[in-house]
Amino acid sequence: MQPQSQHGTGAAIPSSQHSRRTTVYYEHIRVSGLPRERGRQYGKQAAAKIRQNIAHYLQPGQLPPWERTVKYINDIYVTGLKEYFPSALEEMKGIAEGAGVTVEEIIMLNARYDLSRAPGGSRYRPPQSSEKKTLTTGLWRHIDGAEDWDDLDNECTSSAFWQGATAGGGVYTAQNWDISSHLYNNDLVILLEVHPDPSENAPSMFLVTEAGQMGRSGMNSAGLGLTANSLNSTADYFPEDGTRTPRLPISLLRRLFLQEKSFPKALQAIYNAPRHVSNNLTLSTAEGFALCMELTPNEAFVITPKAADNHIIHSNHFLTPAIHARTDIKDSYAGGSSWFRNVQFEKGVLPFLDGRVDVDVITRAFSDHLGYPQSLCQHVDMSGGEGIPGYPFKKSMTVACVVYDLTRKVVTVCKGPPCQGTFEKFKLDE
């Protein structure tokens, strides 16, 4: 796969102070072979970045103390991987060998979203009192004494477009990936291209992910695509009862989807995978369809488009009416720009939904700055002062904007916010 720089692609922005386009790019790594071998290749090529990413998440206040984290990893995720996704465990062992770190550290990177819900993690929610009549929502916390604390919330906006909306009738899934700016500042995002051994009968994949992780968003050579959004619900929990409770980290549910060639089988894999936290997955196929699957630990709320629809958009709040009618489960996201980002993005693409949506339209729409800096195109809050105590998004930014063309198997991606980044194109081959 050869990259092609797309200077000038994306959107200009009204304010000149944000319109300087950068010429920096994330590292593209290509691996192939059986899981253990391609893991070693990945680990060796990204060793320094993987070790730096591990050091970041081992800082106080990010995740539980390391001794406790190791126990959680072995009791919860290793048992889940052995039962539901053994090839991923082999691949992570290879990554560890290649990078010169432990397999527990690699699993920690892939489970950091889930581990943050554990006691001592940045998103831990104390158990509800049995006497409490109202479910708490909008809760976040800051670990006292953690000077370098960073949020682990992803303020992402995901989307998909298909025939009727798109120029030439192609299928796109696209995302602004918003997370802690440490990934951008330290160049810790990897453009990972995976070519499995022919004996696995698995598709090739292109993934945009953190160093050491096996996938955040991506597409495969069978025409399946996945983008995603963080969700929080009062059903989220952490299994710490001392028993072995097999669960998969959310990031590996995403990779599990992209390992499949069949859209129905991939949906079944996601639906049946055991988990303990919430997440939205925007799932699409080059055959001309997409849906959102809002996952909670025990349920999947599926948002299926109507027959006349030609796109779907999601931010970080539950959109399905069913969950809002419930009294036993509530959306508990911290709030903020998630309540308007999906609307702002739709406003940006709306004039083009008559068959003119393409990569440029999508990246321009993703460059919206209503509510700056916590906007659709997100920037680090440099205003100074804490504002709302413990507000978790001050260090967040759009670390990457990516558009997956599932029809042509082309990935268009930039480092940083789409208003500033220079886009590259990659062609995924079998």
Side-chain angles (χ1 to χ4, degrees), residues 34 64 151 251 364 427:
L34 292 168
D151 64 272
S251 68
R364 282 198 301 271
K427 181 75 167 67

Side-chain angles (χ1 to χ4, degrees), residues 215-397:
R216 305 297 303 170
S217 68
M219 74 173 189
N220 69 25
S221 58
L224 301 189
L226 179 150
T227 50
N229 313 82
S230 172
L231 292 177
N232 284 3
S233 79
T234 54
D236 295 352
Y237 70 98
F238 198 83
E240 53 162 342
D241 58 3
T243 62
R244 291 182 175 268
T245 309
R247 297 289 183 270
L248 290 181
I250 286 292
S251 68
L252 294 180
L253 264 70
R254 302 178 187 187
R255 178 65 180 265
L256 191 63
F257 176 86
L258 292 171
Q259 296 274 128
E260 296 289 343
K261 294 182 177 181
S262 160
F263 190 56
K265 287 183 179 179
L267 294 176
Q268 290 171 343
I270 292 288
Y271 182 82
N272 291 314
R275 54 201 179 263
H276 63 88
V277 297
S278 300
N279 204 242
N280 173 68
L281 304 180
T282 299
L283 308 169
S284 48
T285 170
E287 294 177 278
F289 190 80
L291 56 80
C292 287
M293 190 177 290
E294 295 180 335
L295 298 173
T296 67
N298 299 312
E299 298 177 84
F301 300 92
V302 180
I303 303 173
T304 305
K306 295 182 174 62
D309 291 343
N310 56 21
H311 69 287
I312 196 164
I313 301 168
H314 206 288
S315 54
N316 298 102
H317 280 81
F318 284 88
L319 297 179
T320 179
I323 198 168
H324 297 292
R326 300 267 292 268
T327 58
D328 59 328
I329 180 174
K330 294 293 182 183
D331 188 325
S332 59
Y333 204 73
S337 65
S338 177
W339 289 318
F340 61 79
R341 275 183 280 112
N342 56 331
V343 177
Q344 287 302 111
F345 182 68
E346 187 157 32
K347 285 167 64 176
V349 299
L350 192 60
F352 305 95
L353 291 174
D354 57 357
R356 292 181 292 141
V357 171
D358 59 14
V359 172
D360 286 342
V361 167
I362 293 169
T363 56
R364 282 198 301 271
F366 271 134
S367 299
D368 182 83
H369 286 84
L370 185 146
Y372 177 90
Q374 277 87 41
S375 42
L376 175 57
C377 182
Q378 189 172 10
H379 298 256
V380 174
D381 187 348
M382 305 297 291
S383 62
E386 185 66 24
I388 303 172
Y391 184 66
F393 305 126
K394 286 182 69 67
K395 295 183 181 180
S396 290
M397 65 176 288

